[in-house]
Amino acid sequence: MSEANVSKTLLKVDDIHVYYGSIHAIKGISFEVNEGEIVTLIGANGAGKSTTLNTVSGLLKPRSGVITFEGRSIVGIGASKVVGLGMALCPEGRRVFQQMTVRENLEMGGFSRPKEEIPASLEDVFQRFPRLKEREKQVAGTLSGGEQQMLAMGRALMSKPKLLMLDEPSMGLAPILVEQIFDIIKELHRAGTTILLVEQNAQMALSVADRAYVLGTGKITISGDAAEVLADDRVRAAYLGG
């Protein structure tokens, strides 16, 4: 990526506070994602990683704070409008439509696109995920975990996002499939996709990211270049086994 692209801030999150009833889940976090980057949020279970992504994507509304995408405030506009602006979430646990075919799932992902653009988007996804092309007419609930993850990522890509948000893409997958999913993430990045990655597998996430933020119980505790975060003794002790 050129310096001009990298320096453009795509997403900016400023001092957001998110509650579940009386539980203060996100306690004033701030971060940004520049065009052309992979930025990762890492942290233990319950740290607030998925809550952060759900808030950015419009599924949750912060009690206070500002979220801007391409300079425009997106707080409170709703998830479907967020997709229309160019952000797509590949949710934790994949959440494909189990009773629908692979093709139908992908078509659902393109709901915000003009109808005439859907065939080209499908072709792009099938080129990137040949396995999905092979299983185009198969019911999604019968796919393996790795295939369902590919389908969830392909469905998110159908909206041609400027920012792709991935929530725990390696969860529950065998190590060889984790490698495949991260290879796909690297390919998407090389092709120009900006990615915000939430991931429990800190080693893998930090190996592909440009920058990283570490969350601990609703607050950012460490941030910096991914290589620096990977070398941080606190991170190594907490997430990488010493």
Side-chain angles (χ1 to χ4, degrees), residues 69 83-88 109-110 112-114 117-125 128 154-164 193:
F69 183 68
V83 173
L85 291 177
M87 302 167 71
S112 65
R113 309 279 299 166
E117 294 179 12
I118 297 299
S121 295
L122 273 171
E123 192 54 43
D124 286 346
V125 170
R128 197 169 295 286
R155 184 180 60 190
L157 289 170
M158 284 292 294
S159 65
K160 295 286 186 189
K162 298 170 187 172
L163 176 64
L164 176 62
T193 306

Side-chain angles (χ1 to χ4, degrees), residues 6-84:
V6 171
S7 63
K8 180 185 173 185
T9 301
L10 206 56
L11 174 72
K12 189 172 179 63
V13 175
D14 188 19
D15 194 27
I16 61 167
H17 291 258
V18 183
Y19 288 76
Y20 291 112
S22 61
I23 298 168
H24 196 179
I26 300 296
K27 304 167 184 173
I29 71 169
S30 302
F31 66 92
E32 59 186 47
V33 181
N34 299 317
E35 197 173 74
E37 286 187 312
I38 298 179
V39 172
T40 188
L41 305 178
I42 62 171
N45 265 339
K49 304 184 304 295
S50 292
T51 298
T52 299
L53 275 200
N54 287 337
T55 305
V56 169
S57 61
L59 294 169
L60 295 172
K61 187 176 178 182
R63 188 171 294 184
S64 63
V66 179
I67 305 171
T68 56
F69 183 68
E70 295 190 309
R72 170 184 172 173
S73 173
I74 59 170
V75 171
I77 71 168
S80 61
K81 288 187 179 174
V82 166
V83 173

Side-chain angles (χ1 to χ4, degrees), residues 57-226:
S57 61
L59 294 169
L60 295 172
K61 187 176 178 182
R63 188 171 294 184
S64 63
V66 179
I67 305 171
T68 56
F69 183 68
E70 295 190 309
R72 170 184 172 173
S73 173
I74 59 170
V75 171
I77 71 168
S80 61
K81 288 187 179 174
V82 166
V83 173
L85 291 177
M87 302 167 71
L89 173 64
C90 181
E92 180 183 9
R94 303 181 259 287
R95 294 191 203 161
V96 297
F97 300 108
Q98 298 281 323
Q99 307 303 320
M100 297 168 69
T101 66
V102 166
R103 186 186 182 95
E104 287 166 344
N105 266 271
L106 293 173
E107 287 172 344
M108 290 290 283
F111 78 92
S112 65
R113 309 279 299 166
K115 199 170 182 180
E116 63 273 12
E117 294 179 12
I118 297 299
S121 295
L122 273 171
E123 192 54 43
D124 286 346
V125 170
F126 286 145
Q127 281 188 352
R128 197 169 295 286
F129 301 98
R131 186 78 59 83
L132 297 184
K133 178 64 178 172
E134 292 168 16
R135 300 194 175 5
E136 181 179 358
K137 296 176 182 175
Q138 193 168 322
V139 175
T142 64
L143 300 176
S144 70
E147 290 164 349
Q148 288 192 21
Q149 184 60 56
M150 291 176 193
L151 178 55
M153 291 172 74
R155 184 180 60 190
L157 289 170
M158 284 292 294
S159 65
K160 295 286 186 189
K162 298 170 187 172
L163 176 64
L164 176 62
M165 296 177 284
L166 300 172
D167 193 357
E168 302 283 11
S170 78
M171 181 182 282
L173 298 183
I176 191 163
L177 290 172
V178 173
E179 293 276 356
Q180 284 181 23
I181 292 300
F182 274 88
D183 283 344
I184 291 165
I185 291 169
K186 287 186 276 191
E187 284 172 24
L188 290 171
H189 182 232
R190 280 196 294 269
T193 306
T194 304
I195 296 170
L196 176 57
L197 170 66
V198 157
E199 179 56 65
Q200 259 191 289
N201 188 330
Q203 180 82 47
M204 292 294 286
L206 292 169
S207 72
V208 300
D210 297 296
R211 291 188 304 107
Y213 297 87
V214 181
L215 265 68
T217 55
K219 295 181 179 179
I220 289 172
T221 57
I222 301 168
S223 64
D225 289 344

